[in-house]
């Protein structure tokens, strides 16, 4: 694929990043509703949840990523860590390791030492870095290679395991390709994403997703790829990108139903799918008026 720069000006970059963030929030909020016991029958019946849908930590952290790239045109790890920590709302559903890390950052600890020390020094291999990064990919759509590089920087603020970093890179590259209008056919799309990943388990997971495009239903694909139930980048990102690939240039709503069909980490899978496909502003979701507003601090 070509990675030559396109002529996106700053306002166009910001517009695509905001489109991605908005669709990410819709996916996140939509998926999170099915963890509510009273909505489980709606999941089985494919009925929309009632009321205003609240988003989770996926959107809250993505808002910091969006603000960072739109304001500064780059990612400064210390600044991004500070934003994550300042806007950390415990009630949004953060995982315990990330919640503790952000609390300690607020108290003055160094995020690099904390992130590197998680899980006996292996670093987190969770899906948290991937769930928040799509707006960054949309912003750097003029250069998917730059999207990959900045995605890795943003990931290592909290997730240093290579699988988690590669998961964030994969999602950012996917969003960049959609924003460029160069996603191509589903197999081509996933092939380009895999080509921009380093060798490792995540690249093989994306290649497995490409091979499974012949599978017609999301439950069947998730059986092989995972549905995020392990909260691991490796069992979340390949399936999310499979869903995105199957719904390129289609309305967003069927993609979000496919994202939640197998259960698992439904808000995160749907957030990734929404963020990637929403990098194309033409994919604006019809469900946006059902979702709580994006945080004002991210848009000022």
């Amino acid at each position: 694929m070509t990675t030559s720069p396109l002529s996106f000006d700053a306002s166009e970059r910001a517009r695509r990043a905001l489109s991605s963030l908005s669709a990410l929030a819709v996916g996140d909020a939509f998926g999170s509703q099915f963890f509510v016991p009273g909505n489980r029958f709606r999941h089985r019946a494919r009925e929309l949840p009632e009321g205003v849908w609240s988003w989770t930590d996926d959107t809250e952290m993505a808002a910091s990523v969006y603000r960072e790239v739109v304001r500064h045109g780059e990612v400064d790890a210390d600044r991004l860590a500070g934003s994550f920590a300042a806007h950390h709302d415990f009630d949004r559903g953060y995982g315990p390791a990330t919640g503790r890390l952000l609390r300690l950052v607020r108290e003055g600890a160094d995020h690099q030492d904390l992130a590197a020390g998680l899980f006996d020094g292996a670093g987190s291999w969770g899906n948290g870095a991937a769930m928040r990064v799509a707006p960054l990919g949309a912003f750097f759509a003029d250069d998917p290679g730059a999207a990959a590089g900045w995605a890795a920087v943003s990931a290592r603020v909290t997730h240093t395991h290579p699988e988690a970093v590669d998961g964030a890179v994969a999602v950012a590259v996917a969003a960049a390709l959609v924003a460029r209008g160069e996603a191509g056919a589903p197999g081509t799309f996933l092939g380009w994403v895999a080509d921009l990943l380093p060798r490792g388990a995540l690249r093989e997971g994306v290649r497995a997703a490409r091979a499974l495009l012949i599978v017609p239903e999301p439950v069947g694909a998730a059986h092989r790829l995972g549905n995020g139930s392990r909260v691991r980048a490796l069992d979340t990102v390949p399936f999310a990108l499979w869903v995105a690939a199957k719904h390129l240039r289609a309305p967003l709503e069927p993609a979000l139903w496919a994202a939640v069909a197998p259960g698992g980490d439904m808000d995160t899978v749907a957030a990734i799918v929404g963020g990637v496909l929403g990098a194309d502003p033409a994919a604006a979701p019809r469900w946006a008026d059902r979702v709580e507003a994006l945080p004002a601090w991210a848009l000022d």
Side-chain angles (χ1 to χ4, degrees), residues 19-28 134 240 244 252 255-256 259 268-280 283 285:
S19 176
S20 174
L21 176 63
S22 300
L24 183 156
V26 171
D28 173 25
L252 184 59
L256 297 183
T268 295
V269 174
I272 293 172
V273 170
V276 168
L277 296 180
D280 176 3

Side-chain angles (χ1 to χ4, degrees), residues 4-32:
S4 59
L6 303 181
S7 57
F8 290 156
D9 62 20
S11 61
E12 177 68 6
R13 286 180 164 198
R15 185 174 77 93
R16 291 176 181 273
L18 181 58
S19 176
S20 174
L21 176 63
S22 300
L24 183 156
V26 171
D28 173 25
F30 170 69
S32 73

Side-chain angles (χ1 to χ4, degrees), residues 198-268:
R199 291 184 178 180
L202 208 292
R203 183 168 75 169
E204 294 310 308
V206 174
R207 287 178 169 171
R210 184 187 183 196
L212 288 169
L213 287 170
I214 60 172
V215 176
E217 297 298 329
V219 174
H223 180 72
R224 296 283 298 277
L225 299 171
N227 63 359
S229 58
R230 298 174 64 192
V231 199
R232 180 177 179 179
L234 187 58
D235 89 318
T236 306
V237 172
F239 174 64
L241 295 185
W242 180 93
V243 174
K246 294 282 265 188
H247 294 84
L248 293 171
R249 292 173 295 280
L252 184 59
E253 290 75 20
L256 297 183
W257 278 116
V260 304
D265 196 354
M266 293 180 283
D267 58 318
T268 295

